[in-house]
Amino acid sequence: MKMVKITGAVCRDVLNDKEFSVNAKVVINCAGVHADVLRQKDNPDVESRIVPSRGTHIMFKKGDLFPNDMGMIVPETTDGRLLFIINYFGHPMVGTTDGNTPATHFCEPT
């Protein structure tokens, strides 16, 4: 199989129903939970890397927990989940993964 370098994308303006090309030196796959689907369109033999999961997030007031420019990740808690505290627009957001779930475009609270 010949390797071909990705050098851009063909985009569609759905409002005007027009297609246009965009050239790039670097193309980054930012498809999130759907990144493997995009990678496998390029190479069907590549193994999946993404494990879709659902989680819980709690927001705190600015200045609580950490200074605004700090965060923390615990890669595995005693029950096997990921725990993180990140700065979200100056507010500490604490989050965890609750379990695996199918990847979907339609998210809703549970």
Side-chain angles (χ1 to χ4, degrees):
M1 181 167 126
K2 182 181 176 188
M3 298 301 291
V4 178
K5 183 178 177 181
I6 297 172
T7 59
V10 176
C11 304
R12 176 177 298 282
D13 176 346
V14 295
L15 297 176
N16 298 307
D17 195 33
K18 292 184 180 177
E19 231 177 53
F20 59 96
S21 296
V22 176
N23 296 318
K25 291 180 182 178
V26 176
V27 177
I28 300 172
N29 181 351
C30 297
V33 73
H34 305 286
D36 282 336
V37 174
L38 189 58
R39 290 175 56 245
Q40 290 163 342
K41 285 183 179 187
D42 179 52
N43 180 355
D45 297 327
V46 71
E47 290 185 30
S48 294
R49 297 179 182 167
I50 307 295
V51 178
S53 61
R54 66 179 184 272
T56 301
H57 304 85
I58 302 170
M59 300 296 296
F60 288 86
K61 292 188 301 186
K62 287 183 179 183
D64 286 356
L65 304 179
F66 288 118
N68 289 347
D69 61 349
M70 295 182 73
M72 178 179 77
I73 294 178
V74 178
E76 188 172 333
T77 60
T78 55
D79 61 359
R81 296 185 290 171
L82 170 82
L83 175 72
F84 61 87
I85 304 172
I86 61 171
N87 173 359
Y88 187 74
F89 294 102
H91 296 272
M93 179 171 65
V94 178
T96 184
T97 53
D98 293 333
N100 296 344
T101 188
T104 178
H105 288 290
F106 306 101
C107 300
E108 56 186 46
T110 57

